[in-house]
Structures are given as C-alpha cells and as structure tokens.
Amino acid sequence: MKIASLVGARPQFIKLAPLIKASQRQKHPNSKIALEHKIIHTGQHYDYKMDKVFFDELGIPEPDYTLEVGSGSHGWQTGEMMKKAEEALVKEKPDLVIVYGDTNSTLAGALASSKLGIPIAHVESGLRSYNRNMSEEVNRILADRSSDFLFCPTENACENLGKEGFSNVANNGKLIDLSPSESFSADKSTPLVINVGDIMYDAALLGLKIAETGSNILERLKLEPKKYYLATVHRAENSDDKKKLKSILDAFTEISIEKPIIFPVHPRTKKNLEAFHLAPSVFNQIQIIEPVSYFDMLILEKYATKILTDSGGMQKEAYFFKVPCVTLRDETEWVETLEKGNNVLTGADKNKIIQAGFQSSTLEHDSFSSTFYGDGQAADRILGVTSYRI
Ligand code: UD1
Ligand code: UDP
C-alpha cells in the first residue's frame, strides 16, 4: 500500500513523525507488502526553525516532493498548493492521502486528492471552534467533508461529526481497539469516523523521553524549573490586530514582574511586533527568543509554572504535562482541557490574562488522569484501519 502524507506547517511535521515511525515498523497486515510512505511538503513553512529543524530532530526522512509554495494570501497559497500537489499525486498515484489538522496545506491536500478520486484520511478530524471567522475552522470542515477516513483525537470530535450527519461512527465514538477488526473493510462508500486518540500525544510521549536527556534549553536560557512562564502567540486574530497584540503584551509585562516570561516568537508575530512598533526591549522581563525545536519546547513546557498561549497544540501539551494553561482565545476546540480548570480562556483581554496568570493553581492531580486523548498509539491505529479498508 502506498500512502502519501501531505504536510506544510510546523504542527504538521510533529503530527507526521509518529506515523512515519509506525509505518517504518508496520507491514501491510493483509498482503505482507511493506508500506510505502511518501511525503509531500507544500512549503507553507520554510524558515529553518519552522521547518527543517523538525525533520532533523524527529528523524523524518527528506520529503519526496517539496512544492515550495511559501507565504501569500490564503486563496493564492491554497491554489498554488493544490496545483502543485495535483502534479505530485498524478505522478505518485498513492492509494491514500493523509492530511493533518486545519491549515491551508490541509485544505489544499484534501481538495487536490478528492479531485483525483484518491481516498483521503484526515488526522485530527472533527474538531470545531464554531467560529467561522477562523480560516482554520473552514479548512477543517471542508477537509472533513471530503475525507473517507475521519480520524478523531477525542470522543468529543466524533460527537461533533455525528451532529453534522456523519452516521458511520466506529465504536460509538470511543477509542477503538488497537488491533483493527475486519468490520473496517465493510461499506467502503460511507466515510468512516474513528476515535484513534490524539497523534500529538504519541508525539509528546516519544519526544519527551528523548528531550529529557537531549535538550539543554533550561541551562542555555539560565532557567530554573517552575520559575518562569512560557508564552506563544501566533493566531491571526491576535497577532494581526495591533490592539489585541498590545493588550496581550501589556498583560505579559505585568505578569513578568513576578517571574520571567519566555516567549519564542512565531515569524508572523515577529513581523507584526516590528510593524506595530511594539518594541520587545520595553518588556525586559519578557525574554523574546526565536522559535525553538520540538524537544526544547517540550522541556520548556514541562518545567514552566504556567503556559500562556493561543496555540492549539500547546494547550494539549500543557494538559499532558499537568501544567496550567491560559489560552489567549475566546473559544477552544480542545474542550476537554477546560474541564476542572486545567485551562482557562481569556481572549486578548488584558485584565483577564493578568488575573489568570497570577491565579494560584488549584489543580487537582486526578483531574489529569483521564484518557481524553487516547493512549499514545494513534499512529498504529490509523495504519491498522487504513490497511484493512483500502
Ligand atoms: C499557519 C496556520 C495555522 C497554524 C500555524 C502553525 C493557516 C491558515 N494557518 O499559520 O492554523 O496554527 O500555521 O504555526 O494555514 N512566515 C515566515 N516564515 C515561515 C512561515 C511563515 O516568515 O517559515 C511568516 C510569513 O510572513 C507569513 C506569516 O508568517 O506570511 C504567516 O504564515 P502562514 O503559514 O500563512 O500562517 P501561520 O500564521 O504560520
Ligand atoms: N512548537 C515548537 N516550537 C515553538 C513553538 C511551538 O516546537 O517555538 C510546537 C509545540 O510544542 C506544538 C506545535 O509546535 O507541538 C504547535 O504548533 P503551533 O503553535 O505553531 O500551531 P497550532 O498547534 O496552534 O496549530
């Protein structure tokens, strides 16, 4: 069986890594034919620290196709990716295309594959913010609509799809068994919704093991465990809006009086900090640094006193590592993290961020013990199911 993974943005490289590892391990269970896994990289992210560092660190092979699309308006970027992905797919003729998450690369990959009649698997399917102003919300809805395999990370994601009329939900939306059964091969014409768990949990478990010995980021930044905050901001609604970005930075300035804030800055936000003349030097307790590698980020997260972020992935990593999170958004797709107060939504409201930042953590240990996000074996489930059904 030949699979093509289509990726382009930082979190997609991280989601790809466990699937590459699993496909290197796993043979096609029916035919004993080795799985062939091709990588198509759209080039949505291209700076070393947003792109190649993840391939190097996570041992992901060089992409088979690099489309080099780069940055641009959403329509242009998505269109260019579709055009170039189509050429690669026509040449490669995979049995299945896998797309990840909710970026423009996800949408372009799903549309290009569906036009060619190639089956599509969407990893991280079923998430909803119910905010159609986010381009990610539109991307994920359209990717779900064109997919044959809707691999959900949580029960809630399966439920969302059920409400949208997807009727073929495996195991009533509960995490499926690790060894897939023959039943997955039935009724190939109906899209299949399957809770496989969160592939980012696979990645975090694998990554942390290596990072604990392999990363020296705390020494490099002269940080002591639990004596700093960690922050990231990159959502368009926060970083492209001067008022909101200023409000967030003003809140960070106050919070950082207590403990320093380490702030690895996404290139979009860096560009806007400069354009809006929000000079970092004013915020001297805020340590603005370049984006960090995944292993460095896992360590920064695990040993932070609190994480302040608008990232989807980092809200969950905060949860995995039992670190309280302040989410700089008005809603979240990862609703499980809100239960029992592990995560708090503040939007870009300065006062709410300050209050949540200072609030002493009242987290109970058992509030983290549930298996909302599966068991760290999503990649094996994904390959198991697809090999039965393709
Ligand atoms: C994209 C995704 C977002 C995801 C994020 C992960 C869309 C619509 N958005 O947002 O869902 O959470 O990736 O990080 O797909 N830039 C560089 N170097 C790079 C990449 C980007 O300088 O390597 C700058 C460019 O000025 C670019 C801007 O960042 O215009 C935004 O990049 P883009 O890929 O359009 O969106 P992200 O904000 O990264
Ligand atoms: N990440 C990283 N270095 C950074 C910032 C984030 O390795 O400097 C990782 C983070 O640990 C998570 C993923 O990138 O696994 C999240 O990506 P991002 O916040 O860009 O996108 P989102 O998850 O919001 O789509």
Side-chain angles (χ1 to χ4, degrees):
M1 182 168 73
K2 190 194 272 186
I3 290 175
S5 272
L6 192 137
V7 292
R10 171 167 67 189
Q12 293 169 331
F13 311 138
I14 294 164
K15 290 163 199 170
L16 171 64
L19 257 174
I20 290 290
K21 285 234 158 11
S23 45
Q24 284 163 349
R25 279 196 308 270
Q26 198 162 325
K27 305 260 180 203
H28 190 301
N30 296 335
S31 62
K32 308 241 184 317
I33 298 169
L35 255 169
E36 205 182 340
H37 198 151
K38 298 283 178 183
I39 301 172
I40 303 174
H41 184 331
T42 63
Q44 178 168 352
H45 286 172
Y46 43 84
D47 290 346
Y48 177 78
K49 289 184 172 164
M50 296 296 289
D51 172 17
K52 193 156 186 314
V53 64
F54 299 100
F55 285 75
D56 293 346
E57 199 173 57
L58 299 170
I60 306 171
E62 289 269 312
D64 298 277
Y65 295 85
T66 43
L67 309 183
E68 292 183 344
V69 170
S71 306
S73 70
H74 285 243
W76 177 87
Q77 189 183 50
T78 311
E80 283 297 297
M81 288 174 186
M82 270 184 77
K83 246 170 39 189
K84 294 184 172 180
E86 183 178 66
E87 285 168 24
L89 294 171
V90 165
K91 218 163 136 195
E92 212 48 62
K93 295 189 183 51
D95 301 301
L96 178 78
V97 170
I98 307 186
V99 295
Y100 302 77
D102 54 19
T103 72
N104 290 345
S105 297
T106 317
L107 176 61
L111 290 180
S113 311
S114 93
K115 300 283 176 199
L116 293 171
I118 304 171
I120 303 162
H122 184 201
V123 173
E124 218 175 72
S125 177
L127 296 179
R128 296 291 180 264
S129 64
Y130 298 103
N131 174 1
R132 291 287 279 258
N133 294 322
M134 285 177 79
S135 50
E136 290 84 353
E137 181 77 352
V138 176
N139 289 344
R140 55 172 90 100
I141 290 172
L142 296 178
D144 282 339
R145 280 286 150 201
S146 37
S147 291
D148 302 270
F149 297 94
L150 295 98
F151 288 118
C152 297
T154 59
E155 286 183 29
N156 180 265
C158 289
E159 258 171 52
N160 291 341
L161 292 172
K163 284 185 216 146
E164 290 176 19
F166 287 90
S167 55
N168 195 2
V169 182
N171 202 25
N172 291 321
K174 306 244 176 305
L175 188 69
I176 59 157
D177 208 61
L178 193 51
S179 324
S181 77
E182 294 283 354
S183 63
F184 288 120
S185 56
D187 189 15
K188 292 191 182 188
S189 60
T190 316
L192 180 60
V193 174
I194 322 121
N195 179 355
V196 289
D198 185 4
I199 200 146
M200 287 197 84
Y201 191 38
D202 298 25
L205 293 179
L206 287 169
L208 190 65
K209 258 194 230 156
I210 307 170
E212 287 280 16
T213 49
S215 165
N216 62 359
I217 186 80
L218 297 187
E219 290 84 351
R220 275 180 4 244
L221 297 179
K222 301 187 175 39
L223 296 170
E224 282 183 57
K226 301 295 167 189
K227 295 206 170 149
Y228 63 91
Y229 291 92
L230 174 67
T232 71
V233 179
H234 79 280
R235 297 248 84 87
E237 69 261 27
N238 283 332
S239 58
D240 290 357
D241 181 323
K242 182 174 180 180
K243 245 174 94 185
K244 285 192 176 174
L245 191 55
K246 184 171 183 321
S247 169
I248 290 170
L249 285 172
D250 286 346
F252 286 1
T253 304
E254 291 216 17
I255 292 169
S256 69
I257 292 167
E258 193 200 46
K259 289 187 188 98
I261 296 186
I262 306 304
F263 186 6
V265 174
H266 186 287
R268 172 196 282 273
T269 311
K270 184 177 180 212
K271 204 172 69 179
N272 287 333
L273 285 172
E274 285 159 12
F276 300 151
H277 305 293
L278 296 170
S281 58
V282 178
F283 313 106
N284 55 7
Q285 273 281 91
I286 304 175
Q287 214 174 318
I288 296 199
I289 59 173
E290 293 278 299
V292 294
S293 77
Y294 183 55
F295 293 160
D296 284 347
M297 182 49 104
L298 293 178
I299 294 299
L300 283 174
E301 288 173 329
K302 185 171 175 203
Y303 293 102
T305 189
K306 211 170 251 191
I307 296 175
L308 306 136
T309 189
D310 59 10
S311 159
M314 287 178 57
Q315 288 174 61
K316 281 175 303 160
E317 285 157 0
Y319 185 85
F320 301 155
F321 301 151
K322 305 180 172 44
V323 176
C325 186
V326 177
T327 294
L328 312 166
R329 291 182 51 198
D330 295 318
E331 72 280 309
T332 180
E333 300 77 20
W334 302 103
V335 289
E336 304 78 12
T337 61
L338 298 174
E339 285 186 25
K340 305 194 187 176
N342 304 150
N343 187 8
V344 180
L345 298 176
T346 59
D349 185 304
K350 179 182 159 188
N351 292 330
K352 284 190 188 164
I353 300 169
I354 293 170
Q355 200 192 1
F358 280 135
Q359 201 163 42
S360 66
S361 167
T362 52
L363 302 178
E364 305 150 29
H365 254 296
D366 0 333
S367 64
F368 293 102
S369 62
S370 77
T371 50
F372 287 138
Y373 296 105
D375 58 5
Q377 298 182 87
D380 285 310
R381 287 186 171 85
I382 290 168
L383 290 184
V385 172
T386 50
S387 61
Y388 261 105
R389 223 193 197 209
I390 290 292

